[in-house]
Amino acid sequence: MDTRQSAAPSPEAAAATAAAPAAAATAAAAPAPRPPRGGPLVVGIVNVTPDSFSDGGRYVEVDDALRHARALVEAGADVIDVGGESTRPGSARVAPIDEQRRVLPVIRQLASEGVRVSIDTMNAATAYAAVEAGADIVNDVSGGLADRFMAQAVADTGSTFVAMHWRGPLDGSDRPDYRDVVTDVHDELQQRVADLVAQGIDPSRLVLDPGLGFSKDAAQNWQVLAGLRGLGRLGLPLMVGASRKRFLGELLPEGAPIEARDQATAVVSVLAALEGVWAVRVHDVAATRAALDVWQAWQQGGRSAGAAKSTRSARNA
């Protein structure tokens, strides 16, 4: 049950709704999600927050956030996901006006440089404003449940919408009990898709995220990853966000720094690529890009070997 839905739009939401036509024009030409051909998109994370679990406080200043985003693009990021509100356990909600003050200057500048930008937000008002500033993807960890105007914002702007599996904020009220985690996540995402489409979102603009670390313990996270192929039967692109999460840290020696999880993240990225995911969302783009490059070279080698074998067989026929 969502306890944070409002009965009426906030002043920020009302103001942003008024700007919807401009935002819609900005997003109209945005490409719809499609299955990757050369591997998944690499989505680089830029947290413009003081309290995110991995890098909170490092990129609060606009110049620092832009410097980091450009480094991620240089390392091979296809998309930069900009967020202004932490979703770590116990984190406090941020007012949309404060969230926008953090993220909009970063989004506007990156978009002006030709960088594809995603806005990581649970607020419809911020989604409207971010798309108007140049973002073309809305990444909502609540899947549109935290703000009942989010589906309208996505439908109005025509942006790509990443809807994550969500059972509420990580404050102890999020119901982490499952009969079978993969089946339950599948069924709940299927219902979420039906609700979002009924609210006017074009299904061709939808991407699903199984929500690793959200209302799931380590064993359940691994079960979800092992079940990605089953989740793919929902018929929509998938984004996987395992980067630096606690369940990866449990594989490392006690006390290992959080950045030590980047190698495990890169391995997860390759395994997710094998299951055909649309995107992987990561902090360390260079490590994941290198791992994916190895995987793609391996695949290309296999195709080249197959082609050479076919050629030799034809010559000997």
Side-chain angles (χ1 to χ4, degrees), residues 245-264:
K245 289 189 174 176
R246 184 180 303 173
F247 77 104
L248 297 181
E250 293 180 5
L251 302 175
L252 303 174
E254 186 175 354
I258 200 164
E259 291 82 2
R261 303 173 188 178
D262 290 332
Q263 289 181 331

Side-chain angles (χ1 to χ4, degrees), residues 1-288:
M1 177 180 178
D2 176 35
T3 60
R4 297 187 297 184
Q5 294 176 348
S6 55
S10 66
E12 294 89 353
T17 302
T26 303
R34 60 189 184 279
R37 300 183 66 180
L41 298 177
V42 176
V43 179
I45 300 167
V46 175
N47 291 316
V48 194
T49 59
D51 57 347
S52 290
F53 82 95
S54 171
D55 52 9
R58 295 187 189 180
Y59 312 116
V60 173
E61 299 300 325
V62 171
D63 287 346
D64 292 335
L66 287 171
R67 190 176 301 111
H68 182 53
R70 290 168 182 144
L72 295 180
V73 171
E74 181 67 22
D78 300 295
V79 180
I80 297 297
D81 190 44
V82 181
E85 178 179 10
S86 173
T87 55
R88 64 177 176 79
S91 59
R93 292 303 310 270
V94 175
I97 192 169
D98 294 327
E99 181 186 35
Q100 291 166 37
R101 189 179 297 117
R102 294 173 179 178
V103 301
L104 293 182
V106 178
I107 292 170
R108 194 172 290 113
Q109 181 58 37
L110 290 176
S112 75
E113 296 173 12
V115 176
R116 190 176 187 191
V117 181
S118 166
I119 175 63
D120 180 357
T121 184
M122 293 186 283
N123 294 306
T126 300
Y128 274 125
V131 173
E132 187 175 10
D136 76 303
I137 300 172
V138 176
N139 176 21
D140 182 352
V141 300
S142 80
L145 289 168
D147 186 332
R148 65 191 181 95
F149 298 102
M150 181 61 84
Q152 179 184 339
V154 173
D156 286 346
T157 60
S159 51
T160 294
F161 188 53
V162 181
M164 196 188 80
H165 176 260
W166 194 71
R167 285 186 164 190
L170 301 179
D171 60 3
S173 65
D174 51 314
R175 301 181 296 113
D177 55 305
Y178 298 90
R179 295 166 300 172
D180 176 276
V181 65
V182 177
T183 299
D184 289 352
V185 169
H186 175 283
D187 293 349
E188 289 169 27
L189 282 174
Q190 187 173 52
Q191 183 59 55
R192 190 86 285 268
V193 169
D195 292 344
L196 291 168
V197 171
Q199 293 177 75
I201 295 180
D202 184 341
S204 72
R205 297 285 186 180
L206 283 172
V207 174
L208 302 178
D209 182 335
L212 298 173
F214 285 79
S215 309
K216 301 169 188 71
D217 61 24
Q220 291 165 340
N221 287 329
W222 290 117
Q223 290 166 29
V224 167
L225 285 170
L228 283 176
R229 188 164 301 178
L231 295 177
R233 295 190 184 103
L234 288 164
L236 292 173
L238 296 176
M239 183 170 80
V240 169
S243 186
R244 295 184 178 176
K245 289 189 174 176
R246 184 180 303 173
F247 77 104
L248 297 181
E250 293 180 5
L251 302 175
L252 303 174
E254 186 175 354
I258 200 164
E259 291 82 2
R261 303 173 188 178
D262 290 332
Q263 289 181 331
T265 299
V267 174
V268 169
S269 296
V270 171
L271 294 173
L274 288 169
E275 299 300 334
V277 302
W278 175 77
V280 289
R281 180 179 179 272
V282 300
H283 294 85
D284 183 348
V285 166
T288 278

